[in-house]
């Protein structure tokens, strides 16, 4: 195997590495949250429910699902819990 073939094989394996995908996804989430917080500090108005614990649970569930490519349904549990508690803010008849 020559050097070019070795580098091509190594590069392909890096793109298929699930650890790398998780790192890229985590970095994207951190950049997104940072961008929203920066925009909030600069005066951009966001709905108050964006900065609640329910959205944190929903975001964690979506992150878990995306990290595992939504193959299993375990990510639906935190998303459902967050949505159930968040619906209470929008619908007064829901208890």
């Amino acid at each position: 195997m020559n050097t070019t073939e070795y580098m091509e094989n190594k590069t392909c394996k890096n793109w298929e590495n699930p650890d790398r995908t998780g790192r890229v996804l985590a970095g994207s989430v951190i950049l997104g949250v940072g961008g929203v917080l920066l925009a909030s500090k600069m005066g951009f108005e966001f709905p108050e429910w964006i900065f609640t614990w329910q959205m944190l649970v929903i975001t964690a569930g979506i992150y878990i699902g995306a990290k595992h490519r939504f193959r299993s349904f375990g990510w639906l549990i935190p998303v459902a819990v967050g949505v159930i508690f968040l619906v209470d803010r929008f619908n007064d008849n829901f208890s």
Side-chain angles (χ1 to χ4, degrees):
M1 177 182 296
N2 63 24
T3 307
T4 306
E5 291 173 351
Y6 175 76
M7 291 304 290
E8 287 175 359
N9 288 337
K10 187 175 179 182
T11 304
C12 291
K13 289 180 183 176
N14 283 340
W15 283 105
E16 295 172 0
N17 188 352
D19 290 337
R20 186 175 192 283
T21 304
R23 290 179 191 153
V24 170
L25 186 60
S28 300
V29 169
I30 290 172
L31 285 175
V33 169
V36 168
L37 291 174
L38 179 64
S40 174
K41 291 292 181 184
M42 293 179 69
F44 189 78
E45 296 291 327
F46 286 101
E48 73 199 44
W49 55 267
I50 296 253
F51 301 107
T52 61
W53 67 268
Q54 293 95 341
M55 284 303 295
L56 181 65
V57 172
I58 292 170
T59 304
I62 292 173
Y63 171 76
I64 291 168
K67 186 173 180 183
H68 296 285
R69 297 181 184 175
F70 300 100
R71 281 185 247 145
S72 64
F73 294 103
W75 63 275
L76 283 173
I77 295 169
V79 171
V81 168
V83 167
I84 287 170
F85 282 103
L86 194 60
V87 165
D88 189 39
R89 290 180 174 256
F90 296 106
N91 190 354
D92 295 330
N93 298 329
F94 186 79
S95 60

